[in-house]
Amino acid sequence: MSTPLRVALVAADCAWTRGAWDFPAPTGRREWKGIQNTPNDVRLLTQHLTTLYRERCRSREDRRPTRKAGAA
């Protein structure tokens, strides 16, 4: 999968320059300007985006047609 396609999996959930991030509890919703370049916020964003990405990849795999044994 190309990088643009990988980014597209989580792009709708990103609030880099406007909007808000919807983090799981207990953090909850945070405005885009409320995220800082601190170790805690970097960790929060990293974990959030990694989790979203992995969930979306699994979801895509679940929808992929399976091949039958012996099929070419």
Side-chain angles (χ1 to χ4, degrees), residues 27-71:
T27 303
R29 191 171 177 86
R30 286 182 54 186
E31 293 299 314
W32 73 273
K33 289 192 254 182
I35 304 296
Q36 303 297 317
N37 189 17
T38 63
N40 285 341
D41 281 359
V42 169
R43 187 178 316 107
L44 178 67
L45 269 177
T46 301
Q47 289 173 346
H48 181 62
L49 291 173
T50 301
T51 299
L52 287 174
Y53 178 77
R54 288 179 178 160
E55 288 172 355
R56 306 277 162 72
C57 284
R58 277 194 294 271
S59 174
R60 286 173 54 96
E61 289 172 3
D62 291 344
R63 289 181 281 155
R64 210 179 260 166
T66 56
R67 291 185 179 199
K68 294 185 179 188

Side-chain angles (χ1 to χ4, degrees), residues 1-11:
M1 184 184 315
S2 69
T3 300
L5 289 176
R6 289 179 176 151
V7 172
L9 291 175
V10 296

